[in-house]
Amino acid sequence: MCVLHGAVVLITELCERNPETLERFRKTVPDLVQIMKGLVISGYSPEHDVAGISDPFLQVRILRLLRILGRNNETASDAMNDLLAQVATNTDSTKTVGNAVLYETVLTVLDIKSESGLRVLAVNILGRFLLNNDRNIRYIAMISLQKIVGTDHNAVQRHRGTIVDCLKDQDASVKRRALDLSLALVSASNIRSMMKELLIFLSSCPPELRSQAASGIFNAAERYAPSQRWHIDTILHVLTTAGGDVRDETVPNLIQLITNASELHCYTVHKLYRALLTDISQPSLVQVACWCIGEYGDLLLRGECQDTEPVQVTEDDVLDALETVLQSHMSSPATRGFALTATMKLSTRITDNVDRIRSIVSIYGSCIDVELQQRAVEYNALFKKYDHMRYAEAFSKSGELFLLFQLSPHVGTFPQVCDLLDLLGGAEETPQLSPAVSGLAPGLPINTLSTAGGDLLDLLGGLEPAPAAPAPTVPAYEKDGVTLTLSCEKTSDSGLTVTLTASNSTDSDISSFTLQAAVPKSVQLHMKAPSGDALPARGAAKVTQMVILNNPNKDTVQIDSFP
Amino acid sequence: MIRFLLLFSRQGKLRLQKWFTAYTDREKKKVIRDMIMLVLARQPRSCNFIQWRDLKIVYKRYASLYFCAGLEASDNELLSLEVLHRYVELLDRYFGNVCELDIIFNFEKAYFILDEFLMGGEVLETSKTAVAASMQETDTLQETMEEYMSKPAY
């Protein structure tokens, strides 16, 4: 008996590793079947017996060998069909031993080319295992069903109820298997009920399974979502329960989804706002909520919405919520960035509290985090640009004059070159501002209010038809005695030289006079050294500076001055 | 194939270790630590199978000892439970009502029985009587304590 066992083990190993031996040993199948029959039918043999089954070890090994020999082979599979049916029906399944033999039989049946009746028998055995009280047996059943869920999907679907019940089992291993199997069983027809169960599971599942469950739910929702609103609801629910464990790309995916569901913007922003009020600890949820509020804040403030109960939200409430996010130490820097951008976007959508927004934004101009600081300074500068009315300190405070030229392709609300003077006192602000402003041009697209349009003063366009024509001189800036003129000259097909001339007509000298310029990314800028940096009084001398612009894309460019 | 078989007490003390594949000492120590942590953390009525790295871990508790076996992916877990049970039966038959103390004080006999039963990670001898018979033979070849003490010391 044990010699037989040893031989069977050896043959199994050989056949697993070498396909030639596999061929050779195929002819032993009838012998093996014979031996197995003997074992199953034979009488009681006390020394080899375990709980009524004679030599289960040998039985299982023979079944395993038969599995390997019968795989992909019709004749061998036919020879063992009867035997397998006999073993499956005769084996006593009250004890673990019997179940062990049945388990091996089922695995063999499912692996060889068995007839359909036998397969049905095997799946029924697995179904019976699922209903067994013993956790081990249920675990085994779920592992086996996982193997065949791809091929015999319908057969496994019949047991969906039991599998979903196993999600609620207290044992971690059983839960894991049930989760894998449930996710594999999700289909278009049962998505709603399955998702309900999966969401209940997510709220009570052990932490190591959370991220797997969350990503599985997202995949299932993406593939089988019956409606967009359901999809958004589901994702929001997952974010509120397990927001910390989802992957990073869910935030942009969700944002894209919300953008596409245009009729649900009102509903979405209300729900997200409410979620934000209750809990700001989940980073993904907070990020999406901030983005949504920033983007669709006007819908939120309008108050009513067809799908949710109307609630009056004031601008102060919304700003309070965003400020809480900004100041909370649970927020990561990325989350704070989202909140700051949302606050800024709201400045164009609300009317009363612009000052409050401005103060929030300027506070963060001196924040430690570089990203936030840069954003805040850029937004600050945006404020100044839009605000015609804002006059800054008196001219002679520090003797420094900053004039920044912004070449921007699409700031359409300014049909002419603006006269804005803003004296910046304090040298420490200057290094921050210039990179900020040069970063503004690509940053401007955030502000979706301005539309590129025919309002552009097209200086370069006017030059093109007459390349040899004398360059127009434009008084760019004239205030408080300082005059600045721009004269442009087209030097090549895509190049332009701008000469800036400054003169001073006041009674006092201006020293440390510098000019800076910023251009959008498609244009290259090269500033030559100025002729000097002091403007003596009463126009005694002028300071000139040449700026060479290269515009390879031939974008129409607007030149405006900028404080 | 069973990769390893470990026996440890409820306090986490290792009583028996049998390795059927080659592991370095460091790996062995790590496996032992992990197994003890995993198995002792389980609830009393939970499933006896755990998935660990690429192995299936089957464990069973007998009185104060945990029997823990690491299986490969192709092995039958329910059958391994039977293997563990058969080993305990063999110990019981040899020692007569075996308890942890028997294994502590006669660990070499426990290893002999294990070697008679399992080899290379597979069941070697499926007959209980055959194992008992071979243990009896080895015992007759060994000296007893009295014989040893009474040997003349030249």
Side-chain angles (χ1 to χ4, degrees):
Chain A
M1 268 305 187
C2 60
V3 177
L4 195 52
H5 187 278
V8 169
V9 171
L10 190 56
I11 297 174
T12 315
E13 278 301 310
L14 282 172
C15 292
E16 270 175 8
R17 289 170 204 261
N18 192 330
E20 291 172 6
T21 38
L22 190 61
E23 294 304 320
R24 277 192 59 186
F25 280 107
R26 283 253 165 77
K27 34 189 172 48
T28 59
V29 169
D31 295 324
L32 288 166
V33 170
Q34 221 33 47
I35 297 170
M36 191 69 189
K37 266 208 182 97
L39 279 174
V40 173
I41 306 174
S42 77
Y44 180 68
S45 158
E47 48 182 67
H48 300 283
D49 172 273
V50 180
I53 308 215
S54 29
D55 210 345
F57 304 110
L58 183 58
Q59 287 194 25
V60 167
R61 290 316 307 220
I62 292 182
L63 284 168
R64 196 159 141 192
L65 181 56
L66 286 175
R67 183 158 86 231
I68 296 173
L69 292 175
R71 198 179 279 160
N72 293 330
N73 188 305
E74 288 282 348
T75 39
S77 310
D78 284 336
M80 24 176 131
N81 267 328
D82 291 335
L83 169 71
L84 292 169
Q86 194 175 18
V87 175
T89 40
N90 282 359
T91 314
D92 173 28
S93 63
T94 47
K95 294 287 182 75
T96 315
V97 216
N99 286 324
V101 178
L102 278 175
Y103 176 46
E104 199 70 31
T105 319
V106 165
L107 284 180
T108 306
V109 167
L110 294 173
D111 223 7
I112 63 172
K113 290 195 182 310
S114 52
E115 53 183 28
S116 60
L118 204 49
R119 286 186 93 90
V120 168
L121 183 59
V123 176
N124 285 347
I125 293 179
L126 286 178
R128 236 177 38 222
F129 276 1
L130 266 182
L131 297 167
N132 196 308
N133 285 331
D134 190 352
R135 279 207 177 93
N136 294 338
I137 312 285
R138 272 186 281 168
Y139 183 86
I140 293 292
M142 283 196 277
I143 292 185
S144 323
L145 287 172
Q146 185 85 33
K147 291 191 186 138
I148 59 166
V149 77
T151 47
D152 288 294
H153 194 90
N154 293 332
V156 187
Q157 280 281 3
R158 244 179 287 136
H159 302 287
R160 191 163 52 88
T162 331
I163 295 171
V164 166
D165 281 335
C166 286
L167 276 174
K168 303 186 187 107
D169 196 298
Q170 279 148 356
D171 185 281
S173 317
V174 174
K175 268 192 172 129
R176 183 189 297 266
R177 292 285 155 217
L179 176 66
D180 285 340
L181 204 48
S182 311
L183 288 173
L185 282 178
V186 170
S187 75
S189 46
N190 57 26
I191 179 73
R192 280 189 197 261
S193 46
M194 287 296 277
M195 195 50 77
K196 234 188 304 179
E197 296 292 337
L198 285 170
L199 288 173
I200 296 174
F201 172 71
L202 189 65
S203 39
S204 61
C205 82
E208 61 265 12
L209 290 178
R210 264 220 184 112
S211 64
Q212 195 189 350
S215 40
I217 290 177
F218 279 145
N219 286 341
E222 212 170 289
R223 270 190 298 176
Y224 301 114
S227 74
Q228 276 183 327
R229 180 174 154 170
W230 181 91
H231 195 179
I232 290 181
D233 275 340
T234 313
I235 297 193
L236 287 180
H237 195 190
V238 175
L239 283 179
T240 34
T241 39
D245 298 302
V246 297
R247 282 197 305 253
D248 296 327
E249 62 259 18
T250 45
V251 172
N253 282 346
L254 179 57
I255 289 180
Q256 193 179 21
L257 187 67
I258 296 177
T259 329
N260 290 338
S262 45
E263 64 277 5
L264 290 168
H265 285 164
C266 190
Y267 169 73
T268 317
V269 74
H270 270 95
K271 270 202 96 161
L272 280 169
Y273 175 69
R274 241 165 281 177
L276 192 64
L277 284 181
T278 38
D279 172 26
I280 58 168
S281 62
Q282 311 270 25
S284 325
L285 180 66
V286 173
Q287 284 173 4
V288 176
C290 288
W291 180 87
C292 227
I293 292 175
E295 200 64 24
Y296 307 119
D298 49 339
L299 292 173
L300 181 63
L301 293 166
R302 240 197 290 143
E304 41 144 277
C305 174
Q306 73 270 40
D307 290 322
T308 57
E309 0 29 288
V311 70
Q312 205 49 37
V313 182
T314 65
E315 297 172 358
D316 274 320
D317 290 337
V318 179
L319 287 174
D320 280 335
L322 286 174
E323 233 180 323
T324 327
V325 174
L326 273 172
Q327 287 160 358
S328 155
H329 31 250
M330 287 192 278
S331 310
S332 69
T335 315
R336 287 214 176 92
F338 268 90
L340 193 60
T341 312
T343 319
M344 191 59 204
K345 285 190 205 170
L346 279 178
S347 74
T348 54
R349 285 159 173 77
I350 66 180
T351 45
D352 298 333
N353 283 1
V354 185
D355 285 326
R356 185 172 167 189
I357 293 184
R358 211 185 248 164
S359 60
I360 295 176
V361 169
S362 51
I363 290 173
Y364 281 87
S366 44
C367 169
I368 294 177
D369 179 34
V370 178
E371 167 75 24
L372 276 179
Q373 188 185 60
Q374 179 178 357
R375 287 195 193 201
V377 170
E378 288 175 8
Y379 297 152
N380 254 329
L382 263 180
F383 266 123
K384 293 172 188 144
K385 184 176 176 101
Y386 282 127
D387 206 335
H388 304 263
M389 297 312 174
R390 196 179 148 200
Y391 286 96
E393 309 88 324
F395 168 73
S396 57
K397 232 188 208 169
S398 64
E400 280 188 342
L401 173 66
F402 269 96
L403 197 64
L404 295 153
F405 280 80
Q406 165 102 26
L407 289 140
S408 143
H410 60 216
V411 185
T413 48
F414 299 98
Q416 59 181 56
V417 173
C418 313
D419 292 348
L420 288 174
L421 168 62
D422 192 355
L423 274 183
L424 297 167
E428 65 272 9
E429 284 183 72
T430 56
Q432 296 163 8
L433 196 52
S434 29
V437 174
S438 43
L440 244 183
L444 265 181
I446 297 173
N447 192 338
T448 50
L449 269 196
S450 33
T451 52
D455 287 342
L456 295 177
L457 177 62
D458 192 348
L459 284 175
L460 283 181
L463 288 173
E464 256 153 10
T473 313
V474 177
Y477 171 90
E478 194 167 332
K479 189 173 155 70
D480 291 339
V482 177
T483 320
L484 197 69
T485 54
L486 274 176
S487 72
C488 312
E489 201 175 280
K490 218 166 159 30
T491 47
S492 66
D493 215 28
S494 60
L496 176 75
T497 309
V498 177
T499 312
L500 306 160
T501 318
S503 64
N504 174 11
S505 58
T506 62
D507 286 350
S508 52
D509 291 329
I510 301 173
S511 58
S512 310
F513 178 85
T514 47
L515 289 168
Q516 295 200 333
V519 295
K521 284 194 179 119
S522 58
V523 180
Q524 295 152 10
L525 171 78
H526 179 63
M527 284 186 86
K528 299 218 163 141
S531 60
D533 68 346
L535 282 174
R538 280 181 282 271
K542 291 188 196 304
V543 169
T544 53
Q545 188 165 11
M546 301 242 300
V547 176
I548 299 177
L549 300 167
N550 197 1
N551 184 7
N553 295 339
K554 298 203 190 177
D555 291 339
T556 49
V557 195
Q558 178 194 6
I559 302 177
D560 33 49
S561 66
F562 194 90
Chain B
M1 169 189 159
I2 304 179
R3 290 266 177 95
F4 55 83
L5 181 66
L6 303 174
L7 259 72
F8 44 88
S9 69
R10 276 193 54 76
Q11 283 73 39
K13 292 199 66 125
L14 190 68
R15 299 293 176 210
L16 232 64
Q17 50 176 313
K18 184 76 186 175
W19 304 90
F20 295 104
T21 49
Y23 283 108
T24 61
D25 263 345
R26 272 183 72 171
E27 286 169 7
K28 282 185 192 171
K29 287 203 171 65
K30 177 137 192 356
V31 170
I32 293 168
R33 241 195 345 258
D34 286 346
M35 287 302 108
I36 294 179
M37 255 183 1
L38 268 181
V39 172
L40 289 178
R42 300 280 284 179
Q43 304 287 335
R45 257 189 301 278
S46 52
C47 181
N48 291 94
F49 313 125
I50 310 173
Q51 186 71 29
W52 180 77
R53 295 195 195 164
D54 60 327
L55 297 178
K56 303 192 244 203
I57 308 296
V58 179
Y59 74 93
K60 194 122 171 43
R61 183 176 162 205
Y62 288 92
S64 59
L65 271 182
Y66 282 96
F67 287 67
C68 171
L71 312 174
E72 289 178 346
S74 54
D75 286 331
N76 187 332
E77 296 97 320
L78 293 173
L79 196 71
S80 326
L81 279 176
E82 287 309 308
V83 166
L84 293 174
H85 191 73
R86 175 56 76 88
Y87 181 51
V88 172
E89 279 180 1
L90 291 171
L91 286 172
D92 194 50
R93 193 155 161 176
Y94 181 75
F95 287 110
N97 240 344
V98 66
C99 61
E100 191 180 344
L101 281 174
D102 286 326
I103 301 184
I104 295 174
F105 285 116
N106 301 300
F107 61 90
E108 80 276 8
K109 298 272 169 57
Y111 278 114
F112 293 157
I113 296 175
L114 187 60
D115 288 337
E116 286 289 329
F117 176 48
L118 292 176
M119 172 163 292
E122 303 285 356
V123 171
L124 174 62
E125 178 62 63
T126 50
S127 158
K128 282 187 270 200
T129 46
V131 175
S134 35
M135 287 309 294
Q136 221 167 11
E137 281 175 24
T138 53
D139 280 344
T140 53
L141 293 173
Q142 269 184 339
E143 278 180 329
T144 60
M145 193 47 110
E146 297 86 25
E147 288 170 356
Y148 177 70
M149 294 311 286
S150 61
K151 261 198 325 210
Y154 286 105

